[in-house]
């Protein structure tokens, strides 16, 4: 009998990540609101920098990403030497798990936390430990109650995807204060640019001072560069050193570095992106709330919307209804939120289309199933 190669324990428990659907069948101009992408897209300056790279694509990129790290350091008032760039922040999350957790170790994240955390944990061979949330929000005490001497990492998306909620600065500090020093606290601030709440802290200060805290960021969300894959991490020198040892030598590619540098220099574009998002998001939240739908308060560029339990009016029926109208939202079964949809915030006319469609959905007779 031939014996097939067997992967390490834990690998086959991983459900491969499935991204948001890109199109609705039969619709040429789909409104894609399934992947939390920027409504305005990338800055024209970033697009130009990307295009200009064509003739030099045979050159290896700067493996140290020094120019971009310098610009990030200047913009955020932090030390460039403590920044590591990655192929999306996903890669950095994976590297952290691989570097700090292995078989027998525990990694904590929250019930509706970002799906990459279980992926990264299991692929490192470590044991996932899930802390409950309160009102779709991370609960500091519940996380701390899960800490054991085997805990190596805590992943916290702040704000979180797909819930859109955050914990304020004081709670973040309390979480860190309650963790043993050997536990790495990973603050995933992928949506930080969008958050305008006065009590929000992306974690820059903690990651700058504490020996066991890192903050990850991305150019995929507000900066609108998801296709290029560029994330970065800021943290203590010892952790930064570890990541440099295990990352690929050219993990941040040349096109991503060039476009990100130009995007960083166009803060007006980011401000426009965030202003548009806030007005569309808040208007849509109010409109859907008025329909009786459960809208979780969001500081991000998407809304978590809870639908009624009756078959004709549930999340699956709503998803079909939207898809028939060319609108693609995200089903959330893998996040244990099967009664919800995550709906991205698009342009004004796209937001209007979502509001109108869900008004029709809620107004239609409930007993006609999903075929209306
Ligand atoms: C989108 C997202 C990321 C990662 O994005 P990259 O494209 O890999 O940089 C990380 N964390 C959360 C919570 C996200 O929603």
């Amino acid at each position: 009998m031939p014996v097939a190669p067997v992967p390490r324990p834990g690998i086959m428990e991983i459900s491969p990540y499935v991204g948001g659907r890109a199109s609705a069948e039969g619709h040429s101009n789909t409104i894609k609101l399934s992947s939390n992408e920027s409504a305005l897209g990338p800055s024209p300056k970033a697009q130009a920098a990307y295009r200009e790279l064509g003739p030099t694509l045979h050159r290896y990129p700067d493996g140290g990403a020094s120019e971009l790290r310098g610009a990030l350091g200047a913009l955020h008032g932090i030390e460039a030497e403590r920044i590591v760039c990655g192929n999306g922040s996903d890669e950095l999350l994976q590297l952290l798990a691989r570097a700090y957790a292995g078989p027998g170790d525990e990694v904590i994240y929250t019930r509706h936390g970002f799906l990459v955390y279980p992926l990264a944990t299991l692929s490192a061979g470590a044991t996932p430990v899930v802390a409950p949330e309160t009102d779709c929000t991370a609960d500091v005490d519940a996380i701390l109650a899960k800490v054991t001497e085997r805990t190596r990492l805590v992943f916290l998306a702040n704000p979180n995807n797909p819930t859109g909620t955050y914990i304020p600065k004081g709670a973040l500090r309390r979480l860190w204060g309650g963790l043993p020093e050997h536990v790495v606290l990973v603050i995933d601030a992928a949506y930080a640019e969008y958050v305008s709440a006065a009590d929000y802290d992306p974690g820059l200060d903690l990651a700058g001072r504490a020996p066991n805290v890192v903050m990850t960021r991305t150019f995929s969300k507000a900066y609108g560069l998801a296709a290029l894959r560029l994330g970065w991490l800021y943290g203590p020198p010892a952790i930064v050193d570890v990541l440099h040892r295990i990352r690929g030598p050219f993990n941040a590619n040349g096109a991503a570095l060039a476009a990100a540098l130009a995007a960083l220099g166009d803060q007006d574009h980011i401000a426009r992106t965030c202003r548009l998002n806030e007005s569309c998001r808040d208007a849509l939240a109010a409109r859907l709330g008025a329909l009786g739908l459960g809208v979780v308060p969001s500081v991000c560029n998407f809304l978590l919307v809870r639908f009624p339990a009756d078959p004709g009016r549930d999340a699956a029926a709503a998803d079909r209804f939207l898809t028939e109208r060319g609108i693609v939202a995200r089903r959330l079964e893998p996040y244990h939120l099967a009664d919800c949809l995550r709906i991205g915030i698009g342009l004004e006319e796209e937001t209007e289309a979502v509001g109108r469609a869900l008004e029709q959905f809620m107004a239609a007779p409930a007993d006609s199933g999903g075929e209306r």
Side-chain angles (χ1 to χ4, degrees):
M1 277 282 280
V3 179
V6 175
R8 284 191 298 128
I11 304 288
M12 297 313 289
E13 289 171 46
I14 299 173
S15 312
Y17 184 87
V18 180
R21 280 178 302 146
S23 61
E25 217 180 309
H27 288 268
S28 50
N29 49 351
T30 301
I31 300 179
K32 182 174 189 263
L33 303 173
S34 55
S35 298
N36 301 347
E37 295 151 350
S38 159
L40 285 184
S43 153
K45 292 179 179 155
Q47 297 181 43
Y50 173 78
R51 273 195 304 273
E52 278 163 25
L53 212 69
T56 55
L57 283 177
H58 58 304
R59 302 292 180 201
Y60 276 97
D62 169 16
S66 40
E67 209 181 343
L68 181 62
R69 288 191 299 106
L72 284 167
L75 178 69
H76 293 285
I78 58 179
E79 284 174 61
E81 296 71 33
R82 290 172 162 230
I83 296 173
V84 185
C85 293
N87 185 37
S89 48
D90 278 2
E91 183 197 26
L92 297 165
L93 301 170
Q94 297 271 3
L95 291 177
L96 285 163
R98 187 142 50 96
Y100 289 95
D105 297 333
E106 295 174 351
V107 176
I108 301 176
Y109 49 86
T110 65
R111 171 85 173 147
H112 307 301
F114 185 45
L115 268 190
V116 166
Y117 310 151
L119 278 172
T121 302
L122 289 169
S123 65
T127 304
V129 175
V130 180
E133 297 188 7
T134 303
D135 298 331
C136 285
T137 307
D139 179 328
V140 169
D141 296 306
I143 294 171
L144 291 176
K146 293 290 183 186
V147 173
T148 72
E149 59 205 32
R150 294 181 164 195
T151 307
R152 290 293 173 273
L153 280 167
V154 173
F155 282 120
L156 176 76
N158 201 38
N160 184 48
N161 165 22
T163 54
T165 57
Y166 74 103
I167 61 170
K169 187 179 179 123
L172 191 62
R173 206 150 273 264
R174 200 161 65 76
L175 172 60
W176 170 67
L179 291 175
E181 281 158 18
H182 71 269
V183 175
V184 181
L185 173 60
V186 181
I187 304 169
D188 174 353
Y191 298 90
E193 288 79 11
Y194 282 117
V195 187
S196 58
D199 62 354
Y200 173 69
D201 173 10
L204 277 168
D205 182 48
L206 266 185
R209 284 189 309 114
N212 62 334
V213 179
V214 297
M215 175 198 69
T216 60
R217 302 283 285 264
T218 182
F219 282 89
S220 299
K221 302 290 157 61
Y223 283 95
L225 294 173
L228 291 179
R229 318 300 307 125
L230 195 93
W232 58 281
L233 169 149
Y234 175 61
I239 296 181
V240 164
D241 173 61
V242 163
L243 294 172
H244 280 311
R245 288 167 196 267
I246 62 169
R247 71 176 173 87
F250 303 104
N251 60 331
N253 73 77
L257 291 173
L261 185 66
L264 212 56
D266 192 355
Q267 288 300 314
D268 287 349
H269 184 75
I270 295 298
R272 260 195 306 282
T273 300
C274 295
R275 262 200 314 275
L276 174 71
N277 178 64
E278 198 156 323
S279 70
C280 288
R281 180 193 66 210
D282 295 350
L284 186 63
R287 194 166 171 182
L288 301 187
L291 292 174
L293 295 170
V295 182
V296 176
S298 169
V299 294
C300 298
N301 64 333
F302 55 84
L303 291 176
L304 180 66
V305 183
R306 180 164 280 125
F307 288 82
D310 32 313
R313 207 81 94 192
D314 64 10
D319 187 47
R320 281 194 299 272
F321 193 90
L322 290 171
T323 304
E324 283 163 12
R325 283 149 187 82
I327 300 169
V328 185
R330 183 67 156 260
R331 297 285 298 275
L332 296 171
E333 278 79 358
Y335 285 99
H336 316 288
L337 292 165
D339 56 343
C340 298
L341 293 181
R342 190 190 69 197
I343 304 175
I345 302 302
L347 299 167
E348 272 162 4
E349 56 272 27
E350 295 172 325
T351 311
E352 168 59 29
V354 171
R356 205 178 330 116
L358 288 177
E359 277 167 9
Q360 290 166 4
F361 174 71
M362 293 303 283
D367 56 5
S368 55
E371 305 310 317
R372 289 157 299 167

